Amino acid sequence: MQPLLTIKNLSIQFKNEGPATTVVKNSNIEILPGEIVAIVGESGSGKSVTALSLLQLLPSSAVINGEILFTENNTATVDLLKLSGENLRQIRGSAISMIFQEPMTSLNPVFTCGRQIMETIQLHQKVPAKIAKQKTIELFEKVKLPDPSSILNRYPHELSGGQKQRVMIAMAMSCNPSLLIADEPTTALDVTVQKTILELIKELQFNMGVILITHDFGVVADIADKIVVMYKGEIVEQGTAKNILQHPQHAYTRALLNCRPALHPKGMRLPVLSDFIENGKTQALHNKPQIQSPISNDAVLEVQNLKVYFPLKKSFFSKNQQFFKAVDDVTFEVKKGETVGLVGESGCGKTTLGRTILHLIKASSGKILLNNKDITRLNDNAFRPIRKNLQIVFQDPYGSLNPRLTIGDAIVEPLKIHGILSNNAQRKERVTELLKKLICYPNILTGIPTSLVVASVSVFVLPVP
Ligand SMILES: Nc1ncnc2c1ncn2[C@@H]1O[C@H](COP(=O)(O)OP(=O)(O)O)[C@@H](O)[C@H]1O
Ligand SMILES: [Mg+2]
């Protein structure tokens, strides 16, 4: 069979200030029509950059070498890297479409969901508005959105994360692409929603080739035909999903598979890649003994009979105030060194509980104790010095980091606010040191690790009481 896409000797460099950095080296990938190819690898390994290069979406500082040959339905083969102007526009969003990680930022907030999809259909298929609308409703039905005609008139912020990603999938599917690129399409979603979205992609796939970028091997095992493993910009191994999962050859692939947390007993530090490999290619798999993280009997956090009620709008005639019970009589504790998982489907109160512990929402009743000190009803001033002992990592790194600050400045900020260390030079030095500890290369930050780094740096820097 003629491959749909052939990536040949692809290399990508970035030329910013300083020496050029190579982020993709000599990649070769082939995708057949109807095939789901998963690209896996840790953050920063070059997955997204590879995907973006297919549609020439990289900034002008990128220098790209190699060929990306695309052959749609036995038509003439084109090199995507050589396309320009109208020819490129024809391919983008029509023959090849993309779904991104973050549905919140991919949809335009000022237009209704319906309008955004109708626009794409009208643009590429040159049909009148009425037909575009009909097609949009059909697409919403296909992606199993509830009440499609009402979603047509709703704005993105009126939908849940999972629903928004369904709208994005509908948009991507709207022009029957022959290749779909999905860059971590489920990372920002609830675990319960993740699976249904992936099943949906698989179900709608028909004869379409799919490049699925992910760092989650669970996802891969479920739906991929082929797996490509990337490490520091290089493809270290590729093959059928079954082969790679059952007989991984490369030390890095084995290390990745070994890092899946579910395999490990509780109460131990989670394994990281450096437990298994040292130098990517050369180092054989070795197992360092797991470090036991001691769980003490002292509670760090105690939540007792916590209730968070939100008043509902009172109707003119009703005498009693009604409440929405977001958190209703919750009691639990977290011991030193212990990790407590809080699970439940969307809307069950997880986030409200977290925000209440952090003093971002007022508790209606009950108690919150941090290191045996009751912090439930402290006023904002009294709570401020305590805030540095409670840190949160939000779901969405893009929304959590100020885009105007460099990563360094973003991390220095909490240190300044809490008056830690005496001057900025010292703080900067501390941040660099911590960045080195937390990730292998401080200048390389992509996606989720960035916000994790920011939060964990605060945790590491701030003195534990
Ligand atoms: N615009 C850019 N300028 C310079 N370096 C970049 C740019 N975009 C990405 N990079 C670097 O390219 C490498 C690969 O990033 P990426 O493809 O986003 O990784 P991931 O595998 O997590 O998707 C990283 O080292 C990243 O810092
Ligand atoms: Mg990425």
Side-chain angles (χ1 to χ4, degrees):
M1 208 189 317
Q2 167 93 352
L4 177 66
L5 189 84
T6 312
I7 299 179
K8 267 193 190 166
N9 300 326
L10 180 72
S11 291
I12 302 171
Q13 286 192 314
F14 280 106
K15 278 199 176 139
N16 294 322
E17 303 128 47
T21 44
T22 305
V23 295
V24 174
K25 291 170 216 158
N26 262 321
S27 274
N28 290 288
I29 305 176
E30 209 176 82
I31 295 149
L32 300 175
E35 196 175 41
I36 299 187
V37 176
I39 306 184
V40 298
E42 70 197 80
S43 263
S45 53
K47 307 180 299 292
S48 296
V49 169
T50 304
L52 291 171
S53 71
L54 301 187
L55 289 176
Q56 296 189 23
L57 292 172
L58 288 172
S60 57
S61 57
V63 182
I64 309 173
N65 283 300
E67 285 177 310
I68 302 179
L69 305 176
F70 179 63
T71 318
E72 198 185 15
N73 303 329
N74 300 322
T75 52
T77 300
V78 288
D79 184 347
L80 294 179
L81 294 176
K82 298 215 171 79
L83 289 182
S84 62
E86 188 51 31
N87 292 338
L88 181 62
R89 260 193 300 280
Q90 277 297 320
I91 293 238
R92 279 184 188 162
S94 163
I96 303 180
S97 56
M98 246 179 131
I99 312 173
F100 296 94
Q101 187 170 24
E102 192 33 76
M104 289 60 164
T105 43
S106 311
L107 288 167
N108 189 333
V110 300
F111 294 124
T112 61
C113 296
R115 173 157 173 197
Q116 300 188 44
I117 294 188
M118 282 169 61
E119 218 166 54
T120 322
I121 297 179
Q122 281 176 276
L123 185 76
H124 287 289
Q125 301 184 5
K126 316 251 174 329
V127 291
K130 207 174 148 195
I131 294 182
K133 186 172 168 184
Q134 193 50 43
K135 287 193 172 201
T136 306
I137 294 180
E138 280 166 22
L139 278 164
F140 283 171
E141 275 164 9
K142 257 197 195 154
V143 297
K144 303 197 182 104
L145 277 164
D147 196 0
S149 38
S150 99
I151 299 245
L152 209 62
N153 298 318
R154 281 205 247 163
Y155 289 90
H157 73 267
E158 296 174 303
L159 304 184
S160 74
Q163 288 172 337
K164 268 184 275 211
Q165 199 58 302
R166 281 173 202 268
V167 171
M168 282 307 299
I169 294 174
M171 193 189 281
M173 298 286 183
S174 62
C175 296
N176 301 317
S178 29
L179 179 67
L180 174 72
I181 305 165
D183 190 352
E184 313 223 16
T186 58
T187 324
L189 303 176
D190 254 278
V191 228
T192 42
V193 187
Q194 278 180 9
K195 204 166 166 293
T196 55
I197 294 284
L198 288 167
E199 282 164 357
L200 181 68
I201 293 179
K202 177 112 181 143
E203 199 182 307
L204 296 175
Q205 182 203 358
F206 298 118
N207 211 22
M208 188 173 70
V210 178
I211 298 180
L212 176 68
I213 296 177
T214 173
H215 52 249
D216 181 348
F217 265 108
V219 165
V220 170
D222 283 346
I223 73 166
D225 300 305
K226 209 160 89 188
I227 297 178
V228 175
V229 186
M230 281 190 83
Y231 177 58
K232 292 191 180 168
E234 270 178 272
I235 295 178
V236 294
E237 184 167 2
Q238 57 178 308
T240 62
K242 200 172 156 212
N243 254 333
I244 301 270
L245 293 170
Q246 291 177 0
H247 312 286
Q249 298 299 312
H250 195 277
Y252 179 69
T253 316
R254 282 185 283 176
L256 270 184
L257 286 165
N258 272 305
C259 284
R260 285 178 297 179
L263 294 171
H264 297 273
K266 304 287 175 275
M268 310 280 251
R269 173 174 70 72
L270 289 176
V272 291
L273 285 165
S274 59
D275 290 340
F276 303 103
I277 48 166
E278 254 153 33
N279 213 350
K281 266 189 179 146
T282 49
Q283 198 74 20
L285 181 73
H286 61 86
N287 276 302
K288 274 191 199 161
Q290 292 289 312
I291 298 163
Q292 182 100 34
S293 75
I295 300 178
S296 80
N297 276 330
D298 307 338
V300 180
L301 178 76
E302 286 166 83
V303 173
Q304 296 168 356
N305 305 98
L306 190 70
K307 294 185 183 175
V308 185
Y309 288 3
F310 296 112
L312 292 172
K313 218 177 190 172
K314 211 161 116 182
S315 90
F316 185 73
F317 298 105
S318 70
K319 276 193 193 135
N320 299 326
Q321 173 70 53
Q322 302 279 317
F323 290 94
F324 178 78
K325 300 175 177 177
V327 175
D328 200 10
D329 204 5
V330 170
T331 301
F332 69 94
E333 63 171 28
V334 184
K335 299 198 172 100
K336 272 187 189 149
E338 188 181 37
T339 306
V340 174
L342 187 65
V343 293
E345 62 183 284
S346 267
C348 74
K350 307 180 292 295
T351 302
T352 309
L353 177 60
R355 286 174 176 264
T356 311
I357 294 170
L358 281 163
H359 245 244
L360 300 171
I361 298 177
K362 254 205 178 99
S364 311
S365 71
K367 264 188 186 169
I368 303 165
L369 297 131
L370 184 72
N371 296 307
N372 298 320
K373 184 178 152 89
D374 188 347
I375 58 164
T376 329
R377 266 159 272 279
L378 295 180
N379 65 26
D380 285 349
N381 275 337
F383 188 76
R384 195 158 295 130
I386 291 171
R387 180 168 297 282
K388 64 183 179 193
N389 297 322
L390 287 165
Q391 290 291 327
I392 186 166
V393 182
F394 293 98
Q395 191 170 19
D396 169 18
Y398 303 100
S400 317
L401 287 165
N402 186 340
R404 289 170 202 236
L405 294 183
T406 63
I407 300 298
D409 289 338
I411 304 177
V412 164
E413 199 166 67
L415 302 186
K416 265 195 222 162
I417 291 172
H418 290 293
I420 290 161
L421 299 175
S422 48
N423 59 48
N424 278 347
Q426 281 182 3
R427 290 181 190 122
K428 207 172 151 189
E429 197 181 317
R430 183 89 176 107
V431 166
T432 315
E433 207 177 284
L434 284 156
L435 276 172
K436 273 189 199 147
K437 256 191 211 159
L438 283 156
I439 44 170
C440 8
Y441 10 69
N443 57 336
I444 295 171
L445 285 178
T446 55
I448 292 163
T450 318
S451 68
L452 263 180
V453 165
V454 174
S456 34
V457 165
S458 322
V459 173
F460 278 92
V461 173
L462 306 168
V464 180

